[in-house]
Amino acid sequence: MEKWGSDTPEREEVDIAAINKIRIKYIEKHGFSINHANDEHTVTIGMCAHGLPDLLISSRDLETNKIILSCIAKDWLKNGVNLQTRDDLFEYDGGKPFILKFNVIYNGEPMFSHNIDFYYTHPQYQKLKSPEVVQVLWQNYQGLYPDELGYDKACYQYYFTPWVIDIRH
């Protein structure tokens, strides 16, 4: 049984084969699966099976991450990838649009190793040669994104600099 140990003491070892069986069920039923890569990042797995990039959101609110990624993933599965700034998917409590922006990055960062491992182990779910990851960003209260000057770091979102890695071995 393949297992990996956790770097967080309160977490136990994880049975990867069992998790992958669950992921495959979700991918086959919904078209994708959601994975909390760590306590600050949530990613989709399985979008690559449809020739689409996986999605990443970087925030400490994992449940909200899951809701946002699920909504975008369902939209992309139905309508195709849309990397334009979006204000049509969510609203704040007061009816103000929740504006999302997309940042194209690529697999290779250690936190994406679960995605890379999954696609290597289950190549039938990989239609793209190099599985892309698209980061989802939103504005803070000043209307700034994490890559803009003056962004308030208290509205925690990590910004990944776009880069390419050759994952062929």
Side-chain angles (χ1 to χ4, degrees), residues 43-77:
V43 295
T44 61
I45 296 179
M47 297 292 286
C48 192
H50 310 282
L52 304 172
D54 278 306
L55 294 157
L56 159 82
I57 199 163
S58 180
S59 161
R60 293 183 178 135
D61 186 345
L62 299 180
E63 192 56 36
T64 299
N65 294 352
K66 182 178 175 181
I67 292 166
I68 292 171
L69 291 186
S70 291
C71 181
I72 296 167
K74 288 174 186 174
D75 180 71
W76 285 12
L77 286 167

Side-chain angles (χ1 to χ4, degrees), residues 39-160:
D39 293 337
E40 298 175 350
H41 306 290
T42 307
V43 295
T44 61
I45 296 179
M47 297 292 286
C48 192
H50 310 282
L52 304 172
D54 278 306
L55 294 157
L56 159 82
I57 199 163
S58 180
S59 161
R60 293 183 178 135
D61 186 345
L62 299 180
E63 192 56 36
T64 299
N65 294 352
K66 182 178 175 181
I67 292 166
I68 292 171
L69 291 186
S70 291
C71 181
I72 296 167
K74 288 174 186 174
D75 180 71
W76 285 12
L77 286 167
K78 181 179 178 184
N79 302 311
V81 173
N82 181 350
L83 295 175
Q84 301 299 315
T85 300
R86 304 282 303 266
D87 65 357
D88 61 333
L89 297 173
F90 298 97
E91 292 180 354
Y92 286 113
D93 291 334
K96 182 180 174 184
F98 187 64
I99 302 171
L100 301 171
K101 178 174 141 179
F102 301 94
N103 175 32
V104 178
I105 56 177
Y106 293 85
N107 276 328
E109 185 78 15
M111 83 174 72
F112 304 132
S113 64
H114 303 303
N115 288 50
I116 292 170
D117 291 345
F118 178 81
Y119 290 127
Y120 277 152
T121 309
H122 303 87
Q124 69 272 29
Y125 294 103
Q126 184 178 351
K127 288 188 178 177
L128 300 174
K129 284 186 177 180
S130 176
E132 294 179 6
V133 174
V134 173
Q135 181 181 18
V136 180
L137 303 166
W138 63 90
Q139 296 175 325
N140 66 6
Y141 297 112
Q142 295 94 10
L144 300 172
Y145 292 98
D147 59 330
E148 296 178 325
L149 189 62
Y151 177 78
D152 180 4
K153 302 296 183 195
C155 300
Y156 177 82
Q157 284 185 85
Y158 182 81
Y159 176 75
F160 291 90

